[in-house]
CSV table of all heavy atoms in Angstrom, one decimal:
chain,number,residue,atom,x,y,z
A,1,SER,N,0.8,-1.2,0.0
A,1,SER,CA,0.0,0.0,0.0
A,1,SER,C,0.9,1.3,0.0
A,1,SER,O,1.9,1.3,0.7
A,1,SER,CB,-0.9,0.0,1.2
A,1,SER,OG,-2.1,-0.7,1.0
A,2,THR,N,0.4,2.2,-0.8
A,2,THR,CA,1.1,3.5,-0.8
A,2,THR,C,0.2,4.6,-0.3
A,2,THR,O,-1.0,4.5,-0.4
A,2,THR,CB,1.6,3.9,-2.2
A,2,THR,OG1,0.5,3.9,-3.1
A,2,THR,CG2,2.7,2.9,-2.7
A,3,ILE,N,0.7,5.6,0.3
A,3,ILE,CA,0.0,6.7,0.8
A,3,ILE,C,-0.1,7.8,-0.2
A,3,ILE,O,1.0,8.2,-0.8
A,3,ILE,CB,0.6,7.2,2.1
A,3,ILE,CG1,0.5,6.1,3.2
A,3,ILE,CG2,-0.1,8.5,2.6
A,3,ILE,CD1,1.3,6.4,4.4
A,4,TYR,N,-1.3,8.4,-0.5
A,4,TYR,CA,-1.4,9.4,-1.5
A,4,TYR,C,-2.3,10.5,-1.0
A,4,TYR,O,-3.4,10.2,-0.5
A,4,TYR,CB,-2.0,8.8,-2.8
A,4,TYR,CG,-2.1,9.9,-3.9
A,4,TYR,CD1,-1.0,10.2,-4.7
A,4,TYR,CD2,-3.3,10.6,-4.1
A,4,TYR,CE1,-1.1,11.2,-5.7
A,4,TYR,CE2,-3.4,11.6,-5.0
A,4,TYR,CZ,-2.3,11.9,-5.8
A,4,TYR,OH,-2.4,12.8,-6.8
A,5,PRO,N,-1.9,11.8,-1.0
A,5,PRO,CA,-0.5,12.2,-1.3
A,5,PRO,C,0.4,11.7,-0.2
A,5,PRO,O,0.0,11.4,1.0
A,5,PRO,CB,-0.6,13.7,-1.2
A,5,PRO,CG,-2.0,14.1,-1.3
A,5,PRO,CD,-2.8,12.9,-0.7
A,6,ARG,N,1.7,11.5,-0.5
A,6,ARG,CA,2.7,10.9,0.4
A,6,ARG,C,2.9,11.8,1.6
A,6,ARG,O,2.9,13.0,1.5
A,6,ARG,CB,4.0,10.7,-0.4
A,6,ARG,CG,5.1,10.0,0.4
A,6,ARG,CD,6.3,9.9,-0.4
A,6,ARG,NE,7.4,9.3,0.3
A,6,ARG,CZ,7.7,7.9,0.3
A,6,ARG,NH1,6.9,7.1,-0.3
A,6,ARG,NH2,8.7,7.5,1.0
A,7,SER,N,3.0,11.2,2.8
A,7,SER,CA,3.2,12.0,4.0
A,7,SER,C,4.6,12.5,4.0
A,7,SER,O,5.5,11.9,3.3
A,7,SER,CB,2.9,11.2,5.2
A,7,SER,OG,3.6,9.9,5.2
A,8,ASN,N,4.9,13.5,4.8
A,8,ASN,CA,6.2,14.2,4.8
A,8,ASN,C,7.0,13.6,6.0
A,8,ASN,O,6.4,13.2,7.0
A,8,ASN,CB,6.0,15.7,5.0
A,8,ASN,CG,5.3,16.3,3.9
A,8,ASN,OD1,5.5,16.1,2.7
A,8,ASN,ND2,4.3,17.2,4.2
A,9,PRO,N,8.3,13.5,5.8
A,9,PRO,CA,9.1,13.1,6.9
A,9,PRO,C,8.9,13.9,8.2
A,9,PRO,O,8.8,15.1,8.2
A,9,PRO,CB,10.6,13.3,6.4
A,9,PRO,CG,10.4,13.2,4.9
A,9,PRO,CD,9.1,13.9,4.6
A,10,GLY,N,8.7,13.1,9.3
A,10,GLY,CA,8.5,13.8,10.6
A,10,GLY,C,7.0,14.0,10.9
A,10,GLY,O,6.7,14.4,12.1
A,11,GLU,N,6.2,13.9,10.0
A,11,GLU,CA,4.7,14.1,10.3
A,11,GLU,C,4.2,12.9,11.1
A,11,GLU,O,4.7,11.8,11.1
A,11,GLU,CB,3.9,14.1,9.0
A,11,GLU,CG,3.8,15.4,8.3
A,11,GLU,CD,2.8,15.4,7.1
A,11,GLU,OE1,2.8,14.5,6.3
A,11,GLU,OE2,2.1,16.4,7.0
A,12,ARG,N,3.1,13.2,11.9
A,12,ARG,CA,2.4,12.2,12.6
A,12,ARG,C,1.0,12.1,12.0
A,12,ARG,O,0.4,13.1,11.6
A,12,ARG,CB,2.2,12.6,14.1
A,12,ARG,CG,3.5,12.5,14.9
A,12,ARG,CD,3.4,13.2,16.2
A,12,ARG,NE,3.2,14.7,16.0
A,12,ARG,CZ,3.0,15.5,17.0
A,12,ARG,NH1,2.9,15.0,18.3
A,12,ARG,NH2,2.8,16.8,16.8
A,13,LEU,N,0.6,10.8,11.8
A,13,LEU,CA,-0.6,10.5,11.1
A,13,LEU,C,-1.7,9.9,12.0
A,13,LEU,O,-1.3,9.1,12.9
A,13,LEU,CB,-0.4,9.6,9.9
A,13,LEU,CG,0.1,10.2,8.6
A,13,LEU,CD1,1.4,10.8,8.7
A,13,LEU,CD2,0.1,9.1,7.5
A,14,ILE,N,-2.9,10.3,11.9
A,14,ILE,CA,-4.0,9.8,12.6
A,14,ILE,C,-4.9,9.0,11.5
A,14,ILE,O,-5.3,9.6,10.5
A,14,ILE,CB,-4.9,10.8,13.3
A,14,ILE,CG1,-4.1,11.5,14.4
A,14,ILE,CG2,-6.1,10.2,13.9
A,14,ILE,CD1,-4.8,12.7,15.1
A,15,TYR,N,-5.2,7.8,11.7
A,15,TYR,CA,-6.0,7.0,10.9
A,15,TYR,C,-7.5,7.2,11.2
A,15,TYR,O,-7.8,7.3,12.4
A,15,TYR,CB,-5.6,5.5,11.0
A,15,TYR,CG,-6.5,4.6,10.3
A,15,TYR,CD1,-6.6,4.5,8.9
A,15,TYR,CD2,-7.3,3.7,11.0
A,15,TYR,CE1,-7.4,3.6,8.2
A,15,TYR,CE2,-8.2,2.8,10.3
A,15,TYR,CZ,-8.2,2.7,9.0
A,15,TYR,OH,-9.0,1.8,8.3
A,16,ARG,N,-8.3,7.3,10.2
A,16,ARG,CA,-9.7,7.4,10.3
A,16,ARG,C,-10.4,6.5,9.3
A,16,ARG,O,-10.4,6.8,8.1
A,16,ARG,CB,-10.3,8.8,10.1
A,16,ARG,CG,-10.2,9.7,11.3
A,16,ARG,CD,-11.0,9.2,12.5
A,16,ARG,NE,-12.4,9.2,12.2
A,16,ARG,CZ,-13.3,8.6,13.0
A,16,ARG,NH1,-12.9,7.9,14.0
A,16,ARG,NH2,-14.6,8.6,12.6
A,17,GLY,N,-10.8,5.3,9.8
A,17,GLY,CA,-11.3,4.3,8.8
A,17,GLY,C,-11.9,3.1,9.5
A,17,GLY,O,-12.2,3.0,10.7
A,18,TRP,N,-11.9,2.0,8.7
A,18,TRP,CA,-12.5,0.7,9.1
A,18,TRP,C,-11.6,0.1,10.2
A,18,TRP,O,-10.4,0.4,10.2
A,18,TRP,CB,-12.6,-0.2,7.9
A,18,TRP,CG,-13.3,0.4,6.8
A,18,TRP,CD1,-12.8,0.7,5.6
A,18,TRP,CD2,-14.7,0.7,6.7
A,18,TRP,NE1,-13.8,1.2,4.7
A,18,TRP,CE2,-15.0,1.2,5.4
A,18,TRP,CE3,-15.8,0.5,7.6
A,18,TRP,CZ2,-16.2,1.6,5.0
A,18,TRP,CZ3,-17.0,1.0,7.2
A,18,TRP,CH2,-17.3,1.5,5.9
A,19,MET,N,-12.2,-0.7,11.0
A,19,MET,CA,-11.4,-1.5,12.0
A,19,MET,C,-10.3,-2.3,11.3
A,19,MET,O,-10.6,-2.9,10.3
A,19,MET,CB,-12.3,-2.3,12.9
A,19,MET,CG,-13.2,-1.5,13.8
A,19,MET,SD,-14.2,-2.7,14.8
A,19,MET,CE,-15.1,-1.4,15.7
A,20,LEU,N,-9.1,-2.4,11.9
A,20,LEU,CA,-8.1,-3.2,11.4
A,20,LEU,C,-7.7,-4.3,12.4
A,20,LEU,O,-7.6,-4.0,13.6
A,20,LEU,CB,-6.9,-2.4,11.0
A,20,LEU,CG,-7.0,-1.3,10.0
A,20,LEU,CD1,-5.8,-0.5,9.8
A,20,LEU,CD2,-7.4,-1.9,8.6
A,21,ALA,N,-7.4,-5.5,11.9
A,21,ALA,CA,-6.8,-6.6,12.7
A,21,ALA,C,-5.4,-6.2,13.1
A,21,ALA,O,-4.8,-5.3,12.5
A,21,ALA,CB,-6.8,-7.9,12.0
A,22,PRO,N,-4.9,-6.7,14.2
A,22,PRO,CA,-3.6,-6.3,14.7
A,22,PRO,C,-2.5,-6.4,13.7
A,22,PRO,O,-1.7,-5.5,13.5
A,22,PRO,CB,-3.3,-7.3,15.9
A,22,PRO,CG,-4.7,-7.6,16.4
A,22,PRO,CD,-5.6,-7.7,15.1
A,23,ASP,N,-2.4,-7.5,12.9
A,23,ASP,CA,-1.4,-7.6,11.9
A,23,ASP,C,-1.5,-6.5,10.8
A,23,ASP,O,-0.5,-6.0,10.3
A,23,ASP,CB,-1.4,-9.0,11.2
A,23,ASP,CG,-0.9,-10.1,12.2
A,23,ASP,OD1,-0.3,-9.7,13.2
A,23,ASP,OD2,-1.1,-11.3,11.8
A,24,ASP,N,-2.7,-6.2,10.4
A,24,ASP,CA,-2.9,-5.2,9.4
A,24,ASP,C,-2.6,-3.8,10.0
A,24,ASP,O,-2.0,-2.9,9.2
A,24,ASP,CB,-4.4,-5.2,8.9
A,24,ASP,CG,-4.7,-6.3,8.0
A,24,ASP,OD1,-3.8,-6.8,7.4
A,24,ASP,OD2,-5.9,-6.7,7.8
A,25,TYR,N,-2.9,-3.6,11.2
A,25,TYR,CA,-2.5,-2.3,11.8
A,25,TYR,C,-0.9,-2.2,11.9
A,25,TYR,O,-0.4,-1.1,11.6
A,25,TYR,CB,-3.1,-2.1,13.2
A,25,TYR,CG,-3.0,-0.7,13.7
A,25,TYR,CD1,-4.0,0.2,13.3
A,25,TYR,CD2,-1.9,-0.2,14.4
A,25,TYR,CE1,-3.9,1.6,13.7
A,25,TYR,CE2,-1.9,1.1,14.8
A,25,TYR,CZ,-2.9,2.0,14.4
A,25,TYR,OH,-2.8,3.3,14.8
A,26,SER,N,-0.3,-3.3,12.1
A,26,SER,CA,1.2,-3.3,12.1
A,26,SER,C,1.7,-2.9,10.7
A,26,SER,O,2.7,-2.1,10.6
A,26,SER,CB,1.8,-4.6,12.5
A,26,SER,OG,1.4,-4.9,13.9
A,27,ILE,N,1.1,-3.4,9.7
A,27,ILE,CA,1.5,-3.1,8.3
A,27,ILE,C,1.3,-1.6,8.0
A,27,ILE,O,2.1,-1.0,7.3
A,27,ILE,CB,0.8,-4.0,7.3
A,27,ILE,CG1,1.2,-5.5,7.5
A,27,ILE,CG2,1.1,-3.6,5.9
A,27,ILE,CD1,0.3,-6.5,6.7
A,28,LEU,N,0.1,-1.1,8.5
A,28,LEU,CA,-0.1,0.3,8.4
A,28,LEU,C,1.0,1.2,9.0
A,28,LEU,O,1.4,2.1,8.4
A,28,LEU,CB,-1.5,0.6,9.0
A,28,LEU,CG,-1.9,2.1,9.0
A,28,LEU,CD1,-2.1,2.6,7.5
A,28,LEU,CD2,-3.2,2.3,9.8
A,29,VAL,N,1.3,0.8,10.2
A,29,VAL,CA,2.4,1.5,10.9
A,29,VAL,C,3.7,1.5,10.1
A,29,VAL,O,4.4,2.5,9.9
A,29,VAL,CB,2.7,0.9,12.3
A,29,VAL,CG1,3.9,1.5,12.9
A,29,VAL,CG2,1.4,1.2,13.2
């Protein structure tokens, strides 16, 4: 998965979406 637009170095991201299983959340991180 790629992030679009790409986040900037040093930014902090808050996810707003569907529930994720632990392994999927780890992949998101």
Side-chain angles (χ1 to χ4, degrees):
S1 274
T2 57
I3 297 169
Y4 182 84
R6 186 180 177 89
S7 50
N8 300 314
E11 273 189 316
R12 288 168 296 174
L13 274 66
I14 296 176
Y15 172 67
R16 277 297 298 166
W18 309 110
M19 292 182 181
L20 296 175
D23 288 347
D24 285 339
Y25 196 85
S26 294
I27 297 171
L28 176 65
V29 170

